[in-house]
Amino acid sequence: MKKFYSILLAMLPLPFISAQNCNGPGEAQIDLNANNINARLLNSGDLWWDGTNGKYITNSINGNEVSAIFAGAFWMGAIGPTMNLHVAGQTYRLPTRTDFYPGPIDDSTGQEFENGCEDWDRFFVVTKTEVNDHLLDANDGNIDNEITNIYGWPAINNPFFESIHGFALPQNQSFAPFFDVDQDGIYDPSKGDYPDVKGDENIWWVFNDIADAHRVTQGAPLGFETQVLAYASYNIDNEDLNNTTFYDVKVINKSLEPRNDAFLGLWVDFDLGCYTDDFIGYDEEYSMMYVYNQDDYDGDPIQGCPNNLGSYEDKIPILGIKKIDAAIKPVSSFIVLTGNFIFPPTSSPTYALHYYNNLRGMFKDGTPITYGGNGYNPQSIDTVNYMYTGDPTDTLGWSLCAEPMVAADRRALMNTSMGDLLPGQSFTSSYAVVVTHDVDYPCPSLQSLKNAVDNACEGIFSSTKITNKSESFNLFPNPASSEITISSDKEFSSIKLYALDGRILLHLNSINSTTHTIQVDKLSAGTYLSEIIFKDGRSAFQKMIIY
């Protein structure tokens, strides 16, 4: 049951105190482009645009780049201990309009660091090739080639950070992920430590909501630090992986008080090429929002797209955004908002309470989603958590294809409950953005998109760790029904077993042996990924089949 908070209490502002004025959002931008996708990243809570145009480029039509997304951003909201509403969000940034600012928050004070907006207005990039080269270099116990991206990685207490970046890394604070070879709790690449990367290209950044005023939501600050790792890979044998990008998001409550009933939302303004004819939906089974075209031609066949924007013409894909950890951190709601004020209750939010209502799966006036139509019917008692859940091919389902509604410029918001976050507690959420071009229009089936999601997730999770190419291991028997013995010529320290959606089903530590038997009789029939981790931190993977 959804909790109701008094509008008067929720709108009470808290005094805003900031040690500095960031004078707007961060200016840094970078492209994640390890495969077929070119995804623009920004450093103040927004994604996939350059401040003017959509920059989630999936392909080129007649020499023109075409973007499947216009913009994306993170929204967050929670209730403070005195019932005050704390909200931060981003939509379309302006030079003086943002709620998020570059940089971390001091663990001890709950305040931003001096010069944090300037120092941290940057991205930290490392490739899997660089990590592998670093590990090969470290095999003899000495580092002969100090790779800048490895030595400048912003992990805890990195002694080389300041000499590379020109400012001090805050001490004893956890930042970018790394593998601690000597288990001393400090990132020191000269001792063999290395970034814990997931893709061929990996980009990490950090931002907060306290370094200046909230000029988007007008909400009181949350005191949340947000760390993001974006990554992508290329595999000549997995075209679906080549059309996918991934995002790990970590939200940390750095305030000095609890944040209750907290929510994290991923807001997206989908523009699948031409923005005038997009439909949006949500698949409950896959925990995935998606965008598709109204008909079998993107835009007007004669006049094209307004403002000379790129069109997919008759080669229209489907794009989905899946919450890949939804099995343990489920999507709490999915809502579609209109981008104008033709029907105000379903339009985009304008102030803090609106944003929080949307994050809770309600329209901005507090009306819950109801099944059918545009989801807004205050007289209906058929309340639901997710809009447009029918497959577009199902004429009796709830989809924009089945409803007598025209295409419009809509926005989507996929939310997750973070529960109550005490000071210092964190919440993580992971997403995959997948494009498939194998689509039959109009009202396409989702099966090709689901297949692409499965292939992409299997591909990335079989290559998330730095593999030890000189070592391998055996599984016997494989396939199996009751138990499997894992053996290797080299001693290994731990075993992990993954579902194909990335969930860790088994994690055994302190094995320190060359052989180990695991019981698999309680697993459902299917394909899994097994990983063994050697003492140097490198890993090897194999598929495991249970029948």
Side-chain angles (χ1 to χ4, degrees), residues 525-536:
T527 301
Y528 300 85
L529 289 174
S530 58
E531 176 192 15
I532 66 171
I533 298 95
F534 299 99
K535 287 193 169 182
D536 62 3

Side-chain angles (χ1 to χ4, degrees), residues 258-289:
R259 295 289 179 249
N260 301 319
D261 290 297
F263 291 87
L264 170 66
L266 179 59
W267 170 90
V268 184
D269 182 356
F270 290 111
D271 284 357
L272 191 65
C274 192
Y275 64 87
T276 58
D277 52 2
D278 293 342
F279 280 171
I280 297 173
Y282 181 79
D283 187 88
E284 291 185 82
E285 177 191 8
Y286 270 63
S287 302
M288 175 175 65
M289 57 179 169

Side-chain angles (χ1 to χ4, degrees), residues 5 34 71 121 203 283-284 348 352 374 404 459 494 520 535 544:
Y5 296 100
D121 191 13
I203 302 175
D283 187 88
E284 291 185 82
S348 298
N374 67 356
S494 60
V520 296
K535 287 193 169 182
M544 177 186 295

Side-chain angles (χ1 to χ4, degrees), residues 137-388:
D137 191 6
N139 275 340
D140 62 357
N142 296 303
I143 304 295
D144 301 312
N145 178 28
E146 297 181 0
I147 300 172
T148 300
N149 287 342
I150 302 287
Y151 273 67
W153 191 243
I156 186 168
N157 293 358
N158 179 0
F160 304 95
F161 183 89
E162 184 172 4
S163 64
I164 291 174
H165 297 292
F167 66 97
L169 184 70
Q171 291 297 287
N172 302 319
Q173 291 199 194
S174 178
F175 294 116
F178 73 101
F179 192 88
D180 191 3
V181 172
D182 58 4
Q183 298 294 301
D184 65 352
I186 295 173
Y187 177 72
D188 188 343
S190 70
K191 296 180 180 179
D193 295 346
Y194 58 90
D196 189 4
V197 299
K198 294 190 172 185
D200 291 342
E201 182 181 25
N202 308 268
I203 302 175
W204 186 92
W205 69 102
V206 59
F207 58 89
N208 68 80
D209 80 303
I210 66 166
D212 213 323
H214 287 195
R215 298 185 175 94
V216 176
T217 66
Q218 311 301 314
L222 287 148
F224 283 0
E225 174 182 306
T226 304
Q227 302 173 2
V228 186
L229 178 71
Y231 55 99
S233 286
Y234 179 84
N235 186 324
I236 193 171
D237 296 319
N238 191 334
E239 191 64 7
D240 294 317
L241 178 62
N242 300 339
N243 290 320
T244 302
T245 59
F246 297 88
Y247 305 84
D248 290 347
V249 182
K250 183 177 183 181
V251 178
I252 310 168
N253 179 13
K254 292 289 188 77
S255 74
L256 304 182
E257 59 185 23
R259 295 289 179 249
N260 301 319
D261 290 297
F263 291 87
L264 170 66
L266 179 59
W267 170 90
V268 184
D269 182 356
F270 290 111
D271 284 357
L272 191 65
C274 192
Y275 64 87
T276 58
D277 52 2
D278 293 342
F279 280 171
I280 297 173
Y282 181 79
D283 187 88
E284 291 185 82
E285 177 191 8
Y286 270 63
S287 302
M288 175 175 65
M289 57 179 169
Y290 59 90
V291 60
Y292 59 107
N293 209 60
Q294 176 186 15
D295 49 32
D296 59 4
Y297 195 92
D298 184 25
D300 189 283
I302 298 175
Q303 298 181 357
C305 270
N307 304 317
N308 295 316
L309 293 175
S311 165
Y312 287 104
E313 299 181 356
D314 59 354
K315 303 176 181 63
I316 314 168
I318 296 181
L319 180 142
I321 302 181
K322 174 181 171 60
K323 192 172 190 301
I324 54 180
D325 57 353
I328 55 175
K329 298 173 181 178
V331 174
S332 55
S333 63
F334 171 76
I335 189 167
V336 176
L337 309 171
T338 53
N340 52 51
F341 291 89
I342 294 175
F343 188 57
T346 65
S347 63
S348 298
T350 53
Y351 61 86
L353 184 59
H354 290 171
Y355 282 87
Y356 191 63
N357 282 338
N358 288 164
L359 283 165
R360 292 192 294 157
M362 300 177 176
F363 291 99
K364 67 183 185 181
D365 64 357
T367 300
I369 303 168
T370 53
Y371 186 89
N374 67 356
Y376 185 87
N377 184 356
Q379 282 70 50
S380 174
I381 60 173
D382 190 7
T383 59
V384 294
N385 292 323
Y386 315 100
M387 291 180 63
Y388 303 130

